Amino acid sequence: MLTRDELGIVHLVLNTDCNAWDLPKTPGSPGVCRFCYRERNRVHTDETTVRRVIDRVRAESDAHRVVFTGGDPVMPYDNHLEPALQHAQAAGFETNLHTNGLLLADRYAALRDHVTLYSLAVDGPDEQSADWFRGSGYFAAFQANTALLTADRRRLAFNTFTTAASLAALPTLAGTITGLAARTAVEYWLISQYRPIGRANSRKADLYAYDCEAFTEAVAHVRDLLSGTGIQVYDQPTRAAEDPYPFRVWVLADGTVTADLGSVAAPSNTVLGNLLTDGFEPLVRRAFTARSTAGTSTTTTPEKEVTTP
């Protein structure tokens, strides 16, 4: 049995595609979500299999939370999201829905009673700055979602991607998040810098890469601003080749298990096997061993194990 200290959070991927690029880019923007490595859906499963996958994770771990991520799990087709959330909740997991929120209102009624925490992406405190990253109309959708969720007293978290230019707006965005925290519970804010993860792209680097020290200083200032609010502020800086990523496990809804083994140069997560045939605990312990052999640590802070959409 994997203890909670060994693996507190598991990421469940129902689909790997996302609807964000349906929005048009704003004037002056390089394009919608250009920092992301998009891919078409590569998860094919059924409701029964999703339930079996969740049961296997529960049987072999004391993980306390399942993060429903992707891609974006709130897509306009049946990816078994509602029954998966219900089953995970019934199995005793907290459920974190990690979404851009563009289609959240359409599925909210069926989701609301089975989601512990809603993680929303927002990259700026106003329409001009936020839409530059994610497309025309994104900030309006974000505002509508936060109005809906705060009125319903849902628990929130936020994810923010940055550029050198957008760092200056973080204090204003901190004010926005503090305002939302006065209306409902806000658990954390994850702020990220460009991460090439083995698929370096010079154009993306020109747009998004900048000095890591500037990022660290900006996040430290935000932490000071939010001191005493109870909101945890986490950071994902750009890492050098010798700096490992935090250990994280992804479970695809067909049972495939993948993990970050620490290498910034790796082009993708390592595929460990399928938990329905190989077991969940043995696969994760295999990842522990591989990461230890590489000279990195498997110790992580569970709340930091989140991903941006």
Side-chain angles (χ1 to χ4, degrees):
M1 174 75 74
L2 293 161
T3 69
R4 176 167 169 167
D5 287 341
E6 289 178 309
L7 189 70
I9 293 176
V10 175
H11 298 81
L12 182 61
V13 180
L14 300 178
N15 53 272
T16 60
D17 56 347
C18 178
N19 63 313
W21 56 86
D22 292 341
L23 295 178
K25 71 175 185 177
T26 61
S29 170
V32 176
C33 294
R34 288 297 302 273
F35 51 84
C36 184
Y37 297 95
R38 306 168 183 169
E39 56 184 338
R40 296 302 176 185
N41 188 34
R42 58 182 177 87
V43 183
H44 303 284
T45 190
D46 55 63
E47 184 177 328
T48 299
T49 300
V50 175
R51 292 175 185 270
R52 290 176 61 210
V53 167
I54 293 169
D55 288 342
R56 197 64 176 264
V57 173
R58 177 76 293 163
E60 298 184 39
S61 80
D62 284 330
H64 70 285
R65 176 174 290 180
V66 173
V67 178
F68 287 78
T69 184
D72 193 292
V74 187
M75 289 293 286
Y77 54 72
D78 183 11
N79 60 353
H80 318 294
L81 174 59
E82 289 84 356
L85 284 166
Q86 294 176 34
H87 198 71
Q89 183 186 56
F93 290 109
E94 297 175 357
T95 54
N96 181 352
L97 184 64
H98 204 155
T99 177
N100 61 38
L102 293 177
L103 298 174
L104 181 60
D106 296 341
R107 298 177 75 167
Y108 182 66
L111 301 175
R112 73 171 298 279
D113 292 334
H114 309 288
V115 177
T116 306
L117 176 70
Y118 294 84
S119 298
L120 301 175
V122 60
D123 306 309
D126 52 42
E127 179 180 293
Q128 181 178 2
S129 57
D131 288 5
W132 185 90
F133 284 92
R134 297 183 187 261
S136 181
Y138 184 86
F139 189 70
F142 172 79
Q143 289 181 305
N145 284 327
T146 53
L148 169 67
L149 295 169
T150 55
D152 205 16
R153 305 291 292 177
R154 300 293 95 183
R155 191 171 186 86
L156 302 180
F158 300 99
N159 302 300
T160 296
F161 193 82
T162 61
T163 65
S166 73
L167 287 180
L170 286 181
T172 306
L173 186 53
T176 299
I177 291 173
T178 301
L180 293 169
R183 297 157 57 192
T184 196
V186 175
E187 182 175 311
Y188 69 81
W189 183 14
L190 173 69
I191 307 173
S192 298
Q193 193 177 12
Y194 178 65
R195 296 172 293 157
I197 58 172
R199 288 174 280 184
N201 179 301
S202 59
R203 185 175 182 190
K204 289 184 180 182
D206 289 342
L207 290 169
Y208 300 113
Y210 61 94
D211 183 69
C212 187
E213 289 187 4
F215 173 79
T216 301
E217 290 175 3
V219 174
H221 180 52
V222 164
R223 285 199 180 98
D224 289 341
L225 293 175
L226 296 184
S227 177
T229 65
I231 301 170
Q232 296 295 312
V233 179
Y234 299 115
D235 61 294
Q236 288 189 141
T238 292
R239 285 176 166 84
E242 64 274 14
D243 298 326
Y245 282 123
F247 181 78
R248 286 174 281 199
V249 170
W250 276 263
V251 178
L252 275 59
D254 60 6
T256 301
V257 180
T258 75
D260 283 337
L261 296 185
S263 173
V264 176
S268 62
N269 292 346
T270 300
V271 177
L272 304 171
N274 190 297
L275 60 76
L276 295 176
T277 55
D278 304 319
F280 184 57
E281 181 183 3
L283 293 177
V284 175
R285 294 205 180 280
R286 185 185 305 169
F288 286 167
T289 300
R291 190 172 167 97
S292 177
T293 301
T296 57
S297 171
T298 61
T299 302
T300 60
T301 302
E303 288 82 359
K304 200 167 183 176
E305 292 180 342
V306 291
T307 53
T308 53

